[in-house]
Amino acid sequence: MKKQYETYIYKIDNNDIIYMVSDNWQKFADENNGLDNTSSRNVIGRPLWDFVSGPETTHLYQTVLKAVRDRKRKVKLLFRCDSPGTRRYLQLIVFPIENNCIEFWSQIIKTESRGSVDLLRNGIERSNDMIKMCSMCKKIEIQENVWEEIEPAINRLKLLEMEHPPKISHGLCTCCFNAIMHKVENIN
Ligand SMILES: [Zn+2]
């Protein structure tokens, strides 16, 4: 495999417990001032599932891991891992290693600056309203099964007019779900 991007590596054992993260992980976690803040200190020894939000995403990852373990082939997934001021496009390469363990390579393949999106800030006061965000592409569901990029979604839902932004729950948009299922079914 070619290592053309900085690669953040973590590994899970056959019980999905994280047992290794690469030295640059802390830097990645520090830069990720988004929703899923984690540091190397508190990830080792914990189940991968502590860091996967929402039932649909969990189901999807379970399907991917099972396919990787059963077929002994790697899978590459594309997703977004934004911080408030940056759109970050990542690829995640998931591949089988010895003893049913799995190695993950997370690579930032592109970043774009944008005006800071307060909705994504950690530690701000939020209302009891809920909106759903796709874990993979970070689009927001603006009405049932209609998903929009975060900036237009904020306008459409008039989130800036609210005193406090809503809470965010995580799911998967139809597009990402279908793309990943297609990928898993076509591992060769
Ligand atoms: Zn999506």
Side-chain angles (χ1 to χ4, degrees):
M1 255 175 275
K2 244 188 353 201
K3 227 178 175 179
Q4 59 192 126
Y5 305 104
E6 178 155 17
T7 303
Y8 305 91
I9 299 173
Y10 52 101
K11 298 181 187 178
I12 58 170
D13 67 15
N14 59 345
N15 294 314
D16 303 336
I17 304 292
I18 300 167
Y19 70 91
M20 177 268 172
V21 295
S22 56
D23 291 340
N24 56 3
W25 185 261
Q26 189 60 52
K27 181 173 145 240
F28 180 71
D30 290 343
E31 284 166 6
N32 181 19
N33 182 28
L35 293 167
D36 312 300
N37 226 343
T38 53
S39 81
S40 50
R41 279 189 309 284
N42 58 28
V43 300
I44 297 282
R46 285 179 56 188
L48 175 71
W49 309 110
D50 284 5
F51 305 96
V52 179
S53 337
E56 295 104 325
T57 321
T58 301
H59 173 72
L60 176 100
Y61 268 87
Q62 285 168 341
T63 307
V64 169
L65 298 192
K66 183 172 180 346
V68 167
R69 283 182 172 127
D70 288 353
R71 323 264 274 273
K72 303 266 185 281
R73 293 278 189 277
K74 70 172 174 170
V75 176
K76 185 161 90 177
L77 305 173
L78 298 174
F79 68 104
R80 287 262 296 271
C81 185
D82 291 7
S83 65
T86 316
R87 294 185 199 101
R88 297 193 303 177
Y89 298 80
L90 277 80
Q91 64 183 18
L92 181 68
I93 305 169
V94 184
F95 55 97
I97 51 175
E98 69 288 344
N99 303 323
N100 262 341
C101 299
I102 293 186
E103 182 162 339
F104 298 81
W105 286 15
S106 182
Q107 301 172 319
I108 301 172
I109 54 177
K110 191 173 74 165
T111 60
E112 293 167 354
S113 293
R114 66 171 168 208
S116 187
V117 175
D118 286 342
L119 182 65
L120 296 179
R121 279 196 188 292
N122 275 332
I124 54 168
E125 195 173 338
R126 294 181 184 270
S127 70
N128 285 323
D129 297 333
M130 275 282 198
I131 54 169
K132 192 175 262 192
M133 177 180 272
C134 175
S135 297
M136 303 300 291
C137 69
K138 299 295 184 263
K139 286 184 178 163
I140 287 174
E141 190 173 34
I142 56 165
Q143 48 178 276
E144 207 173 336
N145 288 322
V146 181
W147 299 76
E148 276 256 33
E149 271 290 327
I150 192 158
E151 293 92 338
I154 286 170
N155 289 331
R156 289 284 297 276
L157 298 173
K158 300 187 168 37
L159 298 187
L160 296 178
E161 294 170 23
M162 296 173 182
E163 192 180 355
H164 299 297
K167 294 187 176 73
I168 297 174
S169 70
H170 286 86
L172 277 176
C173 73
T174 327
C175 185
C176 289
F177 180 82
N178 289 341
I180 292 160
M181 282 311 181
H182 180 79
K183 203 162 260 190
V184 166
E185 283 157 12
N186 288 282
I187 297 179
N188 45 38

